[in-house]
Amino acid sequence: MSRNPEKHSTAAESDSLLESQVRPRQWENPKPADRYHLVVIGGGPAGLVAAAAAAGLGAKVALVERKFLGGDCLNTGCVPSKALISAARTAALVRRAREFGVRLPEDPVVDFAAVMERMRQLRARLSSNDSAHRFRELGVDVFFGQGRFLNGSQVEVRSEEHTSELQSRGLISYAVFCLKK
């Protein structure tokens, strides 16, 4: 699939590309290192930034994600909602065209299926920034599974295939990004 969101693709193609980036089906969790400088639980925006920054500074980093890298922002929140808002604002502006001296043959019609297709294409295109393969290339050990604190320096990662224990040098981060109103 092209990375241009304006080119047409099917919803299945876009969803497949997204999944291949943020939760690859054939992904195998790595063998845990003896000890990590940082274990990050949560692969949303805050966790991804923390993991990339620490790895960039030379730290041995493990990143644990239960569902999809990119978190709510890429998958269900920020990106999808802003795509829908953008379509709504565009339709509203076109409806006001006469105010600007622009005459259209008819009122615009919002094709909700096309709006949703564009949203899926945008998510798929942006997913390469949050991809498991990219983070592995950055030197981050990416684990998919449920993370659970065992104590101040150990995290258990339980996936469908097996359970791993990650040892930290004492720094474990539960990454949450929230905006206060």
Side-chain angles (χ1 to χ4, degrees):
M1 184 187 110
S2 170
R3 297 213 179 227
N4 181 350
E6 303 307 318
K7 288 201 173 185
H8 292 286
S9 67
T10 67
E13 289 171 333
S14 295
D15 290 347
S16 178
L17 176 59
L18 174 73
E19 184 180 304
S20 74
Q21 299 280 359
V22 300
R23 184 67 185 247
R25 287 181 189 221
Q26 301 304 317
W27 187 265
E28 290 187 25
N29 285 345
K31 180 178 183 247
D34 290 336
R35 198 170 284 279
Y36 291 95
H37 293 104
L38 174 65
V39 176
V40 179
I41 299 176
L48 294 176
V49 168
L57 293 171
K60 183 66 179 161
V61 180
L63 173 64
V64 180
E65 174 52 46
R66 179 172 36 110
K67 290 184 179 180
F68 300 102
L69 292 174
D72 287 347
C73 187
L74 175 66
N75 297 290
T76 60
C78 308
V79 173
S81 66
K82 284 179 179 51
L84 297 175
I85 291 167
S86 178
R89 285 185 175 156
T90 300
L93 184 60
V94 170
R95 286 187 177 111
R96 293 181 50 214
R98 288 186 188 268
E99 293 176 32
F100 299 94
V102 177
R103 299 207 192 296
L104 300 172
E106 59 185 65
D107 282 338
V109 175
V110 176
D111 179 348
F112 189 69
V115 170
M116 291 302 291
E117 181 179 313
R118 178 177 177 272
M119 179 274 298
R120 285 184 169 94
Q121 290 171 354
L122 288 169
R123 284 187 326 169
R125 189 183 79 203
L126 294 171
S127 68
S128 64
N129 297 317
D130 299 347
S131 82
H133 298 288
R134 175 176 177 254
F135 276 81
R136 182 170 54 199
E137 289 171 7
L138 291 174
V140 175
D141 284 353
V142 179
F143 293 84
F144 285 104
Q146 179 70 42
R148 181 173 76 96
F149 295 98
L150 296 176
N151 57 46
S153 63
Q154 291 179 302
V155 171
E156 176 185 80
V157 180
R158 195 175 291 248
S159 69
E160 290 179 15
E161 295 80 34
H162 61 294
T163 300
S164 301
E165 282 189 20
L166 310 180
Q167 303 287 324
S168 175
R169 293 188 178 173
L171 187 55
I172 299 174
S173 172
Y174 180 70
V176 177
F177 178 75
C178 42
L179 297 173
K180 299 214 178 198
K181 292 183 180 181

